[in-house]
């Protein structure tokens, strides 16, 4: 087998392995990417919430504007990666492609973008 055929063979092997049936607790590549996207989105929500609290004057530590920008970037990255997981999935829930986690990452990532945007707007108003 030549080197040029390796990517196609690897993709075919992954597809066959995914089609054969995957256990509920098996960590596949799609599920791993979906979890990473969820963590990015969740980090965006948490950092955005802290930035929102800073801009409201409840917390005196840190910079609200920088936290809002970090929340926007993390939330957007989580939403984009979640969207890519959903777009790349060949099967539905339970097939191991991570489609459920991808949709969840889309929602959590967009929530991070919204909270980061609110914090950025408030930090501009108060700063």
């Amino acid at each position: 087998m030549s080197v040029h055929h390796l990517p196609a063979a690897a993709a075919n092997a992954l597809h066959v392995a995914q089609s054969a049936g995957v256990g509920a607790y098996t960590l596949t590549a799609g599920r791993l990417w979906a979890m990473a996207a969820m963590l990015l989105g969740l980090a965006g929500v948490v950092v955005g919430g802290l930035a929102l609290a800073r801009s409201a004057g409840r917390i005196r530590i840190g910079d609200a504007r920088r936290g809002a920008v970090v929340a926007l970037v993390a939330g957007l990255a989580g939403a984009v990666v979640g969207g890519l997981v959903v777009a790349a999935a060949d099967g539905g829930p339970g097939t191991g492609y991570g489609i459920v986690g991808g949709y969840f990452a889309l929602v959590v990532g967009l929530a991070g973008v919204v909270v980061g945007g609110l914090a950025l707007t408030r930090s501009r108003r108060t700063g």
Side-chain angles (χ1 to χ4, degrees), residues 24 27-42 77-87 89 91-110:
L27 184 61
T28 62
R31 289 176 179 169
L32 184 67
W33 279 106
M35 278 195 324
M38 283 188 283
L39 288 175
L40 273 171
L42 186 61
V80 166
V81 173
L84 289 174
V85 168
V86 169
T95 58
Y97 287 105
I99 194 163
V100 175
Y103 279 122
F104 187 68
L106 270 169
V107 171
V108 173
L110 291 176

Side-chain angles (χ1 to χ4, degrees), residues 15-91:
H15 191 309
V16 169
Q18 294 283 333
S19 302
V22 178
Y25 297 107
T26 304
L27 184 61
T28 62
R31 289 176 179 169
L32 184 67
W33 279 106
M35 278 195 324
M38 283 188 283
L39 288 175
L40 273 171
L42 186 61
V45 170
V46 169
V47 171
L50 289 173
L52 201 56
R54 281 185 204 114
S55 65
R58 294 187 194 114
I59 301 175
R60 297 288 181 197
I61 301 169
D63 183 18
R65 183 171 173 83
R66 184 176 300 156
V69 171
V70 168
L72 279 169
V73 170
L76 184 62
V80 166
V81 173
L84 289 174
V85 168
V86 169
D90 285 338

